[in-house]
Amino acid sequence: MIATSLKKNKILPRYAYVPLTIMVLFNAVTYFGTRLFTEDLQHYEMQTTADELIPFSPFFISIYILAYVQWVVGYVMIARDNKPVFTWIFIGELIAKGLAFLCFVFFPTTVARPEIIGDDIWSRITAYIYAADAPDNLFPSVHCLESWVCFRGAMYLRKPAKWYKYAMLVFTLLVFASTVFVKQHVLLDIAGAIAAVEIGLLVSRLILKAKKKAKA
């Protein structure tokens, strides 16, 4: 009974460790590794008139940072709930990240950041993020990509209450907003992230269906 209880209370099931490790490593290669090839290339700006109408609001850096918490919670919940959904999400996320990799290498983008003149806590944190994270590898937005994956996965979970799924949607939309309000991304970066995820999930579903059919 003790062994069974410990097994149930584990944060992650055993089958999730290797896939999640692969996801983290591929994320590092995609986001940081591609800079080895693109640093000296021409970078394109994708800012639109709509982006110019969005005010700079350093407060949203709080949501931008909390997105990392959302990803941890989101992937843990998916892994614990349902292995088939987790497998679908895992393959779909890798495909989406692969599309991001190609975009980063063959269509590098950048964004013009505003001057930070405030001295409040949010402005100082934003200034730190600006200094630590170069304004490149923007299309599609990895921040938005990961949050959208967590939301899409949440929609297929069986155990969490409905409020969790709605909360994941609301927070995902807040993450989208945060990326443009702190001027880390533009609106097209958000659209690109959603498109990459939806393509990834579609291809993932086709792969799994073909695999299931082959076994039948």
Coordinates of all heavy atoms in Angstrom, one line a residue, residues 42-116:
Q42 N 20.6 39.6 -41.7 CA 19.6 40.7 -41.6 C 18.4 40.2 -40.9 O 17.9 39.1 -41.1 CB 19.2 41.1 -43.0 CG 18.2 42.2 -43.0 CD 17.8 42.6 -44.4 OE1 18.3 42.1 -45.4 NE2 16.8 43.5 -44.6
H43 N 17.9 41.1 -40.0 CA 16.7 40.8 -39.2 C 15.6 41.7 -39.7 O 15.8 42.9 -39.9 CB 16.9 40.9 -37.7 CG 17.7 39.8 -37.1 ND1 19.0 39.5 -37.5 CD2 17.4 38.9 -36.1 CE1 19.5 38.5 -36.8 NE2 18.5 38.1 -36.0
Y44 N 14.4 41.2 -39.8 CA 13.2 41.9 -40.3 C 12.3 42.3 -39.2 O 12.1 41.6 -38.2 CB 12.5 41.0 -41.3 CG 13.3 40.6 -42.4 CD1 14.0 39.4 -42.4 CD2 13.5 41.4 -43.6 CE1 14.8 38.9 -43.4 CE2 14.3 41.0 -44.6 CZ 14.9 39.7 -44.6 OH 15.7 39.3 -45.6
E45 N 11.7 43.5 -39.3 CA 10.7 44.0 -38.4 C 9.3 43.7 -38.9 O 9.1 43.9 -40.1 CB 10.9 45.5 -38.1 CG 12.2 45.8 -37.3 CD 12.2 47.2 -36.8 OE1 11.1 47.7 -36.4 OE2 13.3 47.8 -36.6
M46 N 8.4 43.3 -38.1 CA 7.1 42.9 -38.5 C 6.0 43.8 -37.8 O 4.9 43.4 -37.7 CB 6.8 41.5 -38.2 CG 7.8 40.5 -39.0 SD 7.5 38.8 -38.6 CE 5.9 38.5 -39.2
Q47 N 6.4 44.9 -37.2 CA 5.5 45.8 -36.5 C 4.5 46.4 -37.5 O 4.8 46.8 -38.6 CB 6.3 46.9 -35.8 CG 5.4 47.8 -34.9 CD 6.3 48.7 -34.1 OE1 7.4 49.0 -34.5 NE2 5.7 49.3 -33.1
T48 N 3.2 46.4 -37.0 CA 2.1 46.9 -37.8 C 1.6 48.2 -37.2 O 2.0 48.6 -36.1 CB 1.0 45.9 -38.0 OG1 0.4 45.7 -36.7 CG2 1.5 44.6 -38.6
T49 N 0.7 48.8 -37.8 CA 0.0 50.0 -37.3 C -0.7 49.7 -36.0 O -0.7 50.5 -35.0 CB -1.0 50.6 -38.3 OG1 -0.3 50.9 -39.5 CG2 -1.6 51.9 -37.7
A50 N -1.3 48.5 -35.9 CA -2.0 48.1 -34.7 C -1.0 48.0 -33.5 O -1.3 48.4 -32.4 CB -2.7 46.8 -34.9
D51 N 0.2 47.5 -33.8 CA 1.2 47.4 -32.7 C 1.6 48.8 -32.2 O 1.8 48.9 -31.0 CB 2.5 46.7 -33.3 CG 2.2 45.2 -33.5 OD1 2.0 44.5 -32.6 OD2 2.3 44.8 -34.7
E52 N 1.6 49.8 -33.1 CA 2.0 51.1 -32.7 C 0.9 51.7 -31.7 O 1.3 52.6 -31.0 CB 2.2 52.0 -33.9 CG 3.4 51.6 -34.8 CD 3.5 52.4 -36.0 OE1 2.6 53.2 -36.3 OE2 4.4 52.1 -36.8
L53 N -0.3 51.2 -31.8 CA -1.4 51.8 -31.0 C -1.3 51.2 -29.6 O -2.0 51.7 -28.7 CB -2.7 51.5 -31.6 CG -3.0 52.2 -33.0 CD1 -4.3 51.7 -33.6 CD2 -2.9 53.7 -32.8
I54 N -0.6 50.1 -29.4 CA -0.5 49.4 -28.1 C 0.5 50.1 -27.2 O 1.6 50.2 -27.6 CB -0.1 47.9 -28.3 CG1 -1.2 47.2 -29.1 CG2 0.0 47.2 -26.9 CD1 -0.8 45.8 -29.5
P55 N 0.0 50.6 -26.1 CA 1.0 51.3 -25.2 C 2.0 50.4 -24.5 O 1.7 49.2 -24.3 CB 0.0 52.0 -24.2 CG -1.1 51.0 -24.1 CD -1.3 50.5 -25.5
F56 N 3.1 51.0 -24.2 CA 4.1 50.3 -23.4 C 3.7 50.3 -22.0 O 3.5 51.3 -21.3 CB 5.5 50.9 -23.6 CG 6.6 50.4 -22.8 CD1 6.9 49.0 -22.8 CD2 7.4 51.2 -22.0 CE1 7.9 48.5 -22.0 CE2 8.4 50.7 -21.2 CZ 8.6 49.3 -21.2
S57 N 3.6 49.1 -21.4 CA 3.1 48.9 -20.0 C 4.0 47.9 -19.3 O 3.7 46.7 -19.3 CB 1.6 48.5 -20.0 OG 1.2 48.4 -18.6
P58 N 5.0 48.4 -18.6 CA 5.9 47.5 -17.9 C 5.3 46.6 -16.8 O 5.8 45.5 -16.5 CB 6.9 48.5 -17.2 CG 6.9 49.7 -18.0 CD 5.4 49.8 -18.5
F59 N 4.1 47.0 -16.3 CA 3.4 46.1 -15.3 C 3.2 44.7 -15.9 O 3.3 43.7 -15.1 CB 2.1 46.7 -14.9 CG 1.2 45.7 -14.2 CD1 1.5 45.5 -12.8 CD2 0.2 45.1 -14.8 CE1 0.7 44.5 -12.1 CE2 -0.6 44.1 -14.1 CZ -0.3 43.9 -12.8
F60 N 3.0 44.6 -17.2 CA 2.7 43.3 -17.8 C 3.9 42.3 -17.8 O 3.8 41.2 -18.1 CB 2.2 43.5 -19.2 CG 0.7 43.7 -19.3 CD1 0.2 45.0 -19.2 CD2 -0.2 42.7 -19.3 CE1 -1.1 45.3 -19.2 CE2 -1.6 42.9 -19.4 CZ -2.0 44.2 -19.3
I61 N 5.1 42.9 -17.4 CA 6.2 42.0 -17.3 C 6.0 40.9 -16.2 O 6.6 39.8 -16.2 CB 7.5 42.8 -17.0 CG1 8.8 41.9 -17.3 CG2 7.6 43.2 -15.5 CD1 8.9 41.7 -18.8
S62 N 5.1 41.2 -15.2 CA 4.7 40.3 -14.2 C 4.1 39.0 -14.8 O 4.4 37.9 -14.5 CB 3.8 40.9 -13.2 OG 2.6 41.4 -13.8
I63 N 3.1 39.3 -15.8 CA 2.5 38.2 -16.5 C 3.5 37.4 -17.3 O 3.5 36.2 -17.4 CB 1.3 38.7 -17.3 CG1 0.3 39.5 -16.5 CG2 0.6 37.5 -18.0 CD1 -0.3 38.6 -15.4
Y64 N 4.3 38.2 -18.0 CA 5.4 37.6 -18.9 C 6.2 36.6 -18.1 O 6.5 35.5 -18.6 CB 6.2 38.7 -19.4 CG 7.2 38.4 -20.5 CD1 6.7 38.3 -21.9 CD2 8.5 38.1 -20.2 CE1 7.6 37.9 -22.9 CE2 9.4 37.7 -21.2 CZ 9.0 37.7 -22.6 OH 9.8 37.3 -23.6
I65 N 6.6 36.9 -16.9 CA 7.4 36.1 -16.1 C 6.6 34.9 -15.5 O 7.1 33.8 -15.5 CB 8.1 36.9 -14.9 CG1 9.1 37.9 -15.5 CG2 8.8 35.9 -13.9 CD1 9.6 38.9 -14.5
L66 N 5.4 35.2 -15.1 CA 4.5 34.1 -14.6 C 4.2 33.0 -15.6 O 3.7 32.0 -15.2 CB 3.3 34.7 -14.0 CG 3.4 35.4 -12.6 CD1 2.1 36.1 -12.2 CD2 3.8 34.4 -11.5
A67 N 4.4 33.4 -16.9 CA 4.2 32.4 -17.9 C 5.0 31.1 -17.7 O 4.5 30.0 -18.0 CB 4.5 33.0 -19.3
Y68 N 6.2 31.3 -17.1 CA 7.0 30.1 -16.9 C 6.3 29.2 -15.9 O 6.5 27.9 -16.0 CB 8.4 30.5 -16.3 CG 9.2 31.3 -17.4 CD1 9.2 32.7 -17.4 CD2 10.0 30.6 -18.3 CE1 10.0 33.3 -18.4 CE2 10.8 31.2 -19.3 CZ 10.8 32.6 -19.3 OH 11.5 33.3 -20.2
V69 N 5.7 29.7 -14.9 CA 4.9 28.9 -13.9 C 3.8 28.2 -14.6 O 3.5 27.0 -14.4 CB 4.4 29.8 -12.8 CG1 3.6 29.0 -11.8 CG2 5.5 30.5 -12.1
Q70 N 3.1 28.9 -15.5 CA 2.0 28.3 -16.3 C 2.5 27.1 -17.0 O 1.8 26.1 -17.0 CB 1.4 29.3 -17.2 CG 0.2 28.7 -18.1 CD -0.1 29.5 -19.3 OE1 0.8 30.2 -19.8 NE2 -1.3 29.3 -19.9
W71 N 3.6 27.2 -17.7 CA 4.1 26.1 -18.5 C 4.4 24.9 -17.6 O 4.1 23.7 -18.0 CB 5.4 26.5 -19.2 CG 5.2 27.7 -20.1 CD1 4.0 28.2 -20.5 CD2 6.2 28.6 -20.5 NE1 4.3 29.4 -21.3 CE2 5.6 29.6 -21.3 CE3 7.6 28.6 -20.4 CZ2 6.4 30.6 -21.9 CZ3 8.4 29.6 -21.0 CH2 7.7 30.6 -21.7
V72 N 5.0 25.1 -16.4 CA 5.3 24.0 -15.5 C 4.0 23.3 -15.1 O 3.9 22.1 -15.2 CB 6.2 24.4 -14.3 CG1 6.3 23.3 -13.3 CG2 7.5 24.9 -14.8
V73 N 3.1 24.1 -14.6 CA 1.8 23.6 -14.2 C 1.1 22.9 -15.3 O 0.6 21.8 -15.2 CB 0.9 24.7 -13.6 CG1 -0.5 24.1 -13.3 CG2 1.5 25.3 -12.3
G74 N 1.1 23.5 -16.5 CA 0.4 23.0 -17.6 C 0.9 21.6 -18.1 O 0.1 20.7 -18.3
Y75 N 2.2 21.5 -18.2 CA 2.7 20.2 -18.7 C 2.7 19.1 -17.6 O 2.5 18.0 -18.0 CB 4.2 20.4 -19.1 CG 4.3 21.1 -20.5 CD1 4.9 22.3 -20.7 CD2 3.8 20.5 -21.6 CE1 5.0 22.9 -21.9 CE2 3.9 21.0 -22.9 CZ 4.4 22.3 -23.0 OH 4.5 22.9 -24.2
V76 N 2.8 19.5 -16.4 CA 2.6 18.5 -15.3 C 1.2 18.0 -15.3 O 1.0 16.8 -15.2 CB 3.0 19.1 -13.9 CG1 2.6 18.2 -12.8 CG2 4.5 19.4 -13.8
M77 N 0.2 18.9 -15.4 CA -1.2 18.4 -15.4 C -1.5 17.5 -16.6 O -2.2 16.5 -16.5 CB -2.1 19.7 -15.4 CG -2.0 20.5 -14.2 SD -2.7 19.7 -12.7 CE -4.5 19.8 -13.1
I78 N -0.9 17.9 -17.8 CA -1.2 17.0 -18.9 C -0.5 15.7 -18.8 O -1.1 14.6 -19.1 CB -0.6 17.7 -20.2 CG1 -1.4 19.0 -20.5 CG2 -0.7 16.8 -21.4 CD1 -0.8 19.9 -21.6
A79 N 0.7 15.6 -18.3 CA 1.4 14.4 -18.1 C 0.7 13.5 -17.1 O 0.7 12.3 -17.2 CB 2.9 14.7 -17.7
R80 N 0.2 14.1 -16.0 CA -0.4 13.3 -14.9 C -1.8 12.8 -15.3 O -2.2 11.7 -14.8 CB -0.5 14.1 -13.7 CG 0.8 14.4 -12.9 CD 0.6 15.4 -11.8 NE -0.4 14.9 -10.8 CZ 0.0 14.2 -9.7 NH1 1.2 13.9 -9.5 NH2 -1.0 13.8 -8.8
D81 N -2.4 13.4 -16.2 CA -3.9 13.1 -16.4 C -4.1 12.0 -17.5 O -4.9 11.2 -17.2 CB -4.6 14.4 -16.9 CG -6.0 14.2 -17.2 OD1 -6.4 13.8 -18.3 OD2 -6.8 14.5 -16.3
N82 N -3.3 12.1 -18.6 CA -3.8 11.3 -19.7 C -2.6 11.0 -20.6 O -2.1 11.9 -21.3 CB -4.9 12.1 -20.4 CG -5.6 11.3 -21.5 OD1 -5.0 10.4 -22.1 ND2 -6.8 11.6 -21.6
K83 N -2.1 9.8 -20.7 CA -0.9 9.5 -21.5 C -1.2 9.7 -23.0 O -0.3 10.3 -23.7 CB -0.5 8.0 -21.3 CG 0.8 7.7 -22.0 CD 1.3 6.3 -21.7 CE 2.6 6.0 -22.4 NZ 3.2 4.7 -22.1
P84 N -2.3 9.3 -23.6 CA -2.5 9.5 -25.0 C -2.5 11.0 -25.3 O -2.0 11.4 -26.4 CB -3.9 8.9 -25.2 CG -4.0 7.8 -24.2 CD -3.4 8.4 -23.0
V85 N -3.2 11.8 -24.5 CA -3.2 13.3 -24.8 C -1.8 13.8 -24.6 O -1.3 14.7 -25.4 CB -4.2 14.0 -23.8 CG1 -4.0 15.5 -23.9 CG2 -5.6 13.6 -24.2
F86 N -1.1 13.4 -23.6 CA 0.3 13.8 -23.4 C 1.2 13.5 -24.6 O 2.0 14.3 -25.0 CB 0.9 13.2 -22.1 CG 2.4 13.5 -21.9 CD1 2.8 14.7 -21.5 CD2 3.3 12.5 -22.2 CE1 4.1 15.0 -21.3 CE2 4.7 12.8 -22.0 CZ 5.1 14.1 -21.6
T87 N 1.0 12.3 -25.1 CA 1.8 11.9 -26.3 C 1.5 12.8 -27.5 O 2.4 13.2 -28.2 CB 1.5 10.4 -26.7 OG1 1.8 9.6 -25.5 CG2 2.4 10.0 -27.9
W88 N 0.2 13.1 -27.7 CA -0.3 13.9 -28.8 C 0.3 15.3 -28.6 O 0.9 15.9 -29.6 CB -1.8 14.0 -28.8 CG -2.4 15.0 -29.7 CD1 -2.2 15.2 -31.0 CD2 -3.3 16.0 -29.3 NE1 -2.9 16.2 -31.5 CE2 -3.6 16.8 -30.5 CE3 -3.9 16.4 -28.1 CZ2 -4.5 17.8 -30.4 CZ3 -4.8 17.4 -28.1 CH2 -5.1 18.2 -29.2
I89 N 0.3 15.9 -27.4 CA 0.8 17.2 -27.1 C 2.3 17.2 -27.3 O 2.8 18.2 -27.9 CB 0.4 17.6 -25.7 CG1 -1.1 17.9 -25.6 CG2 1.2 18.9 -25.3 CD1 -1.6 19.1 -26.4
F90 N 3.0 16.2 -26.8 CA 4.4 16.2 -26.9 C 4.9 16.2 -28.3 O 5.8 17.0 -28.7 CB 4.9 14.9 -26.2 CG 6.3 14.5 -26.5 CD1 7.4 15.3 -26.1 CD2 6.6 13.4 -27.3 CE1 8.7 15.0 -26.5 CE2 7.9 13.0 -27.6 CZ 9.0 13.9 -27.2
I91 N 4.3 15.4 -29.2 CA 4.7 15.3 -30.6 C 4.4 16.7 -31.3 O 5.1 17.2 -32.0 CB 4.1 14.2 -31.3 CG1 4.6 12.8 -30.7 CG2 4.4 14.2 -32.8 CD1 3.9 11.6 -31.3
G92 N 3.2 17.2 -31.0 CA 2.7 18.4 -31.6 C 3.6 19.6 -31.2 O 3.9 20.5 -32.0
E93 N 4.0 19.6 -29.9 CA 4.9 20.7 -29.4 C 6.2 20.6 -30.1 O 6.8 21.7 -30.5 CB 5.1 20.6 -27.9 CG 5.6 21.9 -27.2 CD 7.1 22.0 -27.2 OE1 7.8 21.0 -27.6 OE2 7.6 23.0 -26.8
L94 N 6.8 19.4 -30.3 CA 8.1 19.3 -31.0 C 8.0 19.8 -32.5 O 8.9 20.4 -33.0 CB 8.6 17.9 -31.0 CG 9.1 17.4 -29.6 CD1 9.7 16.0 -29.8 CD2 10.1 18.3 -29.0
I95 N 6.9 19.5 -33.1 CA 6.7 19.9 -34.5 C 6.6 21.4 -34.6 O 7.2 22.1 -35.4 CB 5.4 19.2 -35.1 CG1 5.7 17.7 -35.2 CG2 5.1 19.8 -36.5 CD1 4.4 16.9 -35.6
A96 N 5.8 22.0 -33.6 CA 5.6 23.4 -33.6 C 6.9 24.1 -33.3 O 7.3 25.1 -33.9 CB 4.6 23.8 -32.5
K97 N 7.7 23.5 -32.4 CA 9.0 24.1 -32.1 C 10.0 24.0 -33.3 O 10.9 24.8 -33.5 CB 9.6 23.4 -30.8 CG 10.8 24.2 -30.2 CD 10.4 25.6 -29.7 CE 9.3 25.5 -28.6 NZ 9.7 24.9 -27.4
G98 N 9.8 22.9 -34.0 CA 10.6 22.7 -35.3 C 10.3 23.8 -36.3 O 11.2 24.3 -37.0
L99 N 9.0 24.1 -36.4 CA 8.6 25.2 -37.3 C 9.2 26.5 -36.8 O 9.7 27.4 -37.7 CB 7.1 25.3 -37.4 CG 6.4 24.1 -38.0 CD1 4.9 24.3 -37.9 CD2 6.7 24.0 -39.5
A100 N 9.2 26.7 -35.5 CA 9.9 27.9 -35.0 C 11.3 28.0 -35.3 O 11.9 29.0 -35.6 CB 9.6 28.0 -33.5
F101 N 12.0 26.8 -35.2 CA 13.4 26.7 -35.5 C 13.7 27.2 -36.9 O 14.6 28.0 -37.2 CB 13.9 25.3 -35.3 CG 15.3 25.0 -35.6 CD1 16.2 24.9 -34.5 CD2 15.8 24.8 -36.9 CE1 17.6 24.7 -34.8 CE2 17.1 24.6 -37.1 CZ 18.0 24.6 -36.1
L102 N 12.9 26.7 -37.9 CA 13.0 27.1 -39.3 C 12.8 28.6 -39.5 O 13.6 29.2 -40.2 CB 12.1 26.3 -40.1 CG 12.3 24.7 -40.2 CD1 11.2 24.1 -41.0 CD2 13.7 24.4 -40.8
C103 N 11.8 29.1 -38.8 CA 11.5 30.5 -38.9 C 12.7 31.4 -38.3 O 13.1 32.4 -39.0 CB 10.3 30.9 -38.2 SG 8.7 30.3 -39.0
F104 N 13.2 30.9 -37.2 CA 14.3 31.7 -36.6 C 15.6 31.7 -37.5 O 16.3 32.7 -37.6 CB 14.7 31.0 -35.3 CG 13.6 31.2 -34.2 CD1 13.7 30.4 -33.0 CD2 12.6 32.0 -34.4 CE1 12.8 30.6 -32.0 CE2 11.6 32.1 -33.4 CZ 11.7 31.4 -32.2
V105 N 15.8 30.6 -38.2 CA 17.0 30.5 -39.1 C 16.8 31.2 -40.4 O 17.7 31.9 -40.9 CB 17.4 29.0 -39.3 CG1 18.5 28.9 -40.3 CG2 17.8 28.4 -38.0
F106 N 15.6 31.0 -41.0 CA 15.5 31.5 -42.4 C 14.7 32.8 -42.5 O 14.7 33.4 -43.5 CB 14.7 30.4 -43.2 CG 15.5 29.2 -43.4 CD1 15.2 28.0 -42.7 CD2 16.6 29.1 -44.3 CE1 16.0 26.8 -42.9 CE2 17.4 28.0 -44.5 CZ 17.1 26.8 -43.8
F107 N 14.1 33.2 -41.4 CA 13.4 34.5 -41.4 C 13.6 35.2 -40.0 O 12.6 35.3 -39.3 CB 11.9 34.3 -41.7 CG 11.1 35.6 -41.9 CD1 11.4 36.4 -42.9 CD2 10.2 36.0 -41.0 CE1 10.7 37.6 -43.1 CE2 9.5 37.2 -41.1 CZ 9.8 38.0 -42.2
P108 N 14.8 35.5 -39.7 CA 15.1 36.1 -38.4 C 14.4 37.5 -38.3 O 14.4 38.3 -39.2 CB 16.6 36.3 -38.4 CG 17.0 36.2 -39.8 CD 16.0 35.4 -40.5
T109 N 13.8 37.7 -37.1 CA 13.1 39.0 -36.9 C 13.6 39.7 -35.7 O 14.3 39.1 -34.8 CB 11.6 38.7 -36.7 OG1 11.4 37.8 -35.6 CG2 11.0 38.2 -38.0
T110 N 13.3 41.0 -35.6 CA 13.7 41.8 -34.5 C 12.5 42.8 -34.2 O 11.6 42.9 -34.9 CB 15.0 42.5 -34.7 OG1 15.4 43.2 -33.5 CG2 14.8 43.6 -35.8
V111 N 12.7 43.5 -33.1 CA 11.6 44.5 -32.8 C 12.3 45.7 -32.1 O 13.3 45.6 -31.4 CB 10.6 43.9 -31.8 CG1 11.2 43.6 -30.5 CG2 9.4 44.9 -31.6
A112 N 11.8 46.9 -32.4 CA 12.3 48.1 -31.8 C 11.7 48.3 -30.4 O 10.5 48.4 -30.2 CB 12.0 49.3 -32.7
R113 N 12.6 48.3 -29.4 CA 12.1 48.4 -28.0 C 12.1 49.9 -27.6 O 12.9 50.6 -28.0 CB 13.0 47.6 -27.1 CG 12.9 46.1 -27.2 CD 14.0 45.4 -26.5 NE 13.8 44.0 -26.3 CZ 14.7 43.2 -25.8 NH1 15.9 43.7 -25.4 NH2 14.5 41.9 -25.7
P114 N 11.1 50.2 -26.7 CA 11.1 51.6 -26.2 C 12.1 51.9 -25.2 O 12.7 50.9 -24.6 CB 9.7 51.7 -25.6 CG 9.4 50.3 -25.2 CD 10.0 49.4 -26.2
E115 N 12.4 53.1 -25.0 CA 13.3 53.5 -23.9 C 12.6 53.4 -22.6 O 11.5 53.9 -22.5 CB 13.9 54.9 -24.1 CG 14.8 55.4 -23.0 CD 15.2 56.8 -23.2 OE1 14.8 57.5 -24.2 OE2 16.0 57.3 -22.4
I116 N 13.2 52.8 -21.6 CA 12.6 52.6 -20.3 C 13.0 53.8 -19.4 O 14.2 53.9 -19.1 CB 13.0 51.3 -19.6 CG1 12.5 50.1 -20.5 CG2 12.4 51.2 -18.2 CD1 12.9 48.8 -20.0

